[in-house]
Amino acid sequence: VNSLLLNLSTLNVRLSTAEEELSNLSLSYSSLVNKLLDLEENLSKHVCLYQDLLKNYTTLQQEHQQLLKNYTELLAENKHLEEELELKHNESEEYSKKLADQLSEIVYARSFKVYNYRQDLYKEIELKIAAQDYLSYRLNVTREHAVIEDRIEQLKAMFTVFITYDDKYIIQIAQELRELAGNNDELYANLVLQLVHQIKYMRTLYCKYPLETIVEGVGDCDNLAVLAASIMKAGGLDVVLILCKVSLDGVSFSAHAMVGLALDSEPKMPVSYGRTPQYVGYEGKFYYLCECTYSSNASPWDFKVRGSLVGDNPWKVINDIIILPT
């Protein structure tokens, strides 16, 4: 009986131990099942992600193929356009050469008469201006149409571009006038005014280069002032451009452009005709007025006409003066 009781006690202990181990195994199993469920869930998410990536990849691959096709077509089109452009460039060069050959035969002949009142001598200033030289200015497409008031504003910023005192035709004029005038700067400037006064006054659409004004034979106040300033400066004179408002009656005013000339002494010619030379002051110098517009009914060397000479002021009122150095 004791032996059986002992065995029974041993079996109970072992059973208890087995039950404990079973409980532990059951917990481990439950934990494994939960992990398995988590893995299945993660696997499902990754499968969905993979499917989305595969779908995006397929779409991008199709887009890539389409872009590659477009690139190939554009490359072929670009090559075709380059071939056409080269062909047109060659045709343009050939056309330009033919045009240049034809233009080389065209010359604008212009003649001006000036009067040296000191020697009572008239002289013809004759110019032969190549069409190509004229058109190099005329075909400047950067200029815009503007009324005189707006052009006055433009001249403030860019007038030095138009003062082409280094142009070969302007230099030619300056040399011939300087040879006639010698070292007499007042005479030289009056000869310049005589020449400019032979150009007909006409309202124009924009600022013009001196050579344009000479060839076309017309210009308004800013065109004529730019021409006179260029010739005077080419002859070694100290000149400025005068932008202002002028009036003949003291009531109605309009925008205007003139030239100012610095001389070593007061001009003598206006005084000899009973007129007091007029000037504007700038940086400690007296710049005598040079009116570049002139009546087509008056002779350029009729010095009784106010405005024919350096120092003349044909206006009743001048105000809002702006000085532009050259």
Side-chain angles (χ1 to χ4, degrees):
V1 176
N2 291 333
S3 177
L4 289 171
L5 291 171
L6 180 61
N7 289 335
L8 181 60
S9 177
T10 302
L11 288 172
N12 287 331
V13 171
R14 293 176 64 185
L15 178 61
S16 178
T17 301
E19 288 176 347
E20 184 179 354
E21 289 179 354
L22 179 62
S23 177
N24 291 334
L25 288 172
S26 179
L27 291 173
S28 297
Y29 174 75
S30 296
S31 177
L32 288 172
V33 169
N34 291 331
K35 289 182 179 180
L36 180 60
L37 291 173
D38 289 341
L39 288 172
E40 287 179 349
E41 184 179 358
N42 288 335
L43 177 61
S44 177
K45 291 180 179 179
H46 281 86
V47 168
C48 291
L49 179 60
Y50 168 76
Q51 290 174 344
D52 289 341
L53 290 173
L54 182 61
K55 182 180 179 181
N56 291 338
Y57 170 76
T58 303
T59 302
L60 289 172
Q61 189 177 41
Q62 292 173 350
E63 291 179 356
H64 170 72
Q65 290 174 347
Q66 184 62 44
L67 288 172
L68 186 62
K69 180 182 178 182
N70 293 343
Y71 169 75
T72 304
E73 292 175 353
L74 288 173
L75 196 64
E77 184 179 353
N78 181 67
K79 183 178 180 181
H80 177 67
L81 290 174
E82 285 181 345
E83 291 173 351
E84 285 190 349
L85 182 62
E86 183 177 0
L87 179 62
K88 290 182 179 179
H89 179 70
N90 293 336
E91 291 176 351
S92 176
E93 284 188 342
E94 183 179 356
Y95 173 80
S96 297
K97 185 177 183 302
K98 289 181 179 179
L99 180 61
D101 290 341
Q102 293 186 33
L103 288 176
S104 65
E105 300 176 0
I106 301 175
V107 174
Y108 299 102
R110 296 293 181 267
S111 177
F112 300 92
K113 181 185 290 186
V114 292
Y115 173 59
N116 181 340
Y117 48 81
R118 290 175 63 86
Q119 299 179 357
D120 191 23
L121 176 66
Y122 288 93
K123 177 180 175 62
E124 292 283 343
I125 305 297
E126 297 183 350
L127 299 171
K128 293 183 178 179
I129 301 169
Q132 287 174 305
D133 295 330
Y134 162 67
L135 291 175
S136 68
Y137 292 110
R138 168 50 68 180
L139 299 181
N140 180 343
V141 295
T142 61
R143 292 174 288 174
E144 297 181 356
H145 292 180
V147 297
I148 180 62
E149 287 78 10
D150 292 336
R151 294 210 304 275
I152 292 297
E153 291 298 315
Q154 293 176 7
L155 282 173
K156 292 179 185 177
M158 57 185 298
F159 81 98
T160 53
V161 174
F162 294 96
I163 307 293
T164 54
Y165 62 91
D166 55 351
D167 180 274
K168 62 182 179 181
Y169 299 104
I170 299 300
I171 292 174
Q172 177 187 341
I173 295 172
Q175 289 176 339
E176 293 192 37
L177 294 183
R178 181 53 83 179
E179 181 179 352
L180 184 62
N183 294 326
N184 190 315
D185 289 343
E186 181 185 353
L187 173 57
Y188 175 81
N190 282 325
L191 294 175
V192 173
L193 288 181
Q194 290 176 31
L195 185 148
V196 173
H197 289 165
Q198 292 172 60
I199 295 175
K200 182 179 179 180
Y201 177 86
M202 186 176 77
R203 292 293 290 261
T204 58
L205 296 176
Y206 41 73
C207 298
K208 296 203 298 186
Y209 292 94
L211 197 61
E212 290 179 286
T213 303
I214 291 173
V215 170
E216 294 161 15
V218 295
D220 51 17
C221 63
D222 61 311
N223 308 142
L224 299 173
V226 164
L227 171 59
S230 297
I231 301 174
M232 289 184 186
K233 188 171 177 65
L237 299 185
D238 179 3
V239 294
V240 297
L241 200 64
I242 302 173
L243 308 181
C244 55
K245 294 288 184 67
V246 295
S247 174
L248 287 172
D249 57 11
V251 177
S252 300
F253 286 83
S254 59
H256 192 54
M258 291 187 288
V259 173
L261 169 64
L263 293 171
D264 294 335
S265 59
E266 182 181 77
K268 297 180 176 58
M269 282 294 287
V271 176
S272 66
Y273 284 88
R275 301 192 293 270
T276 301
Q278 303 291 306
Y279 61 84
V280 294
Y282 180 70
E283 293 190 346
K285 295 181 181 180
F286 293 159
Y287 285 89
Y288 291 94
L289 302 184
C290 299
E291 178 55 65
C292 302
T293 59
Y294 201 66
S295 171
S296 58
N297 297 322
S299 166
W301 36 86
D302 182 358
F303 304 132
K304 295 187 297 295
V305 176
R306 188 180 297 273
S308 61
L309 298 167
V310 172
D312 278 345
N313 177 19
W315 304 100
K316 183 175 182 178
V317 180
I318 302 177
N319 57 27
D320 296 340
I321 295 174
I322 297 173
I323 306 296
L324 301 179
T326 59

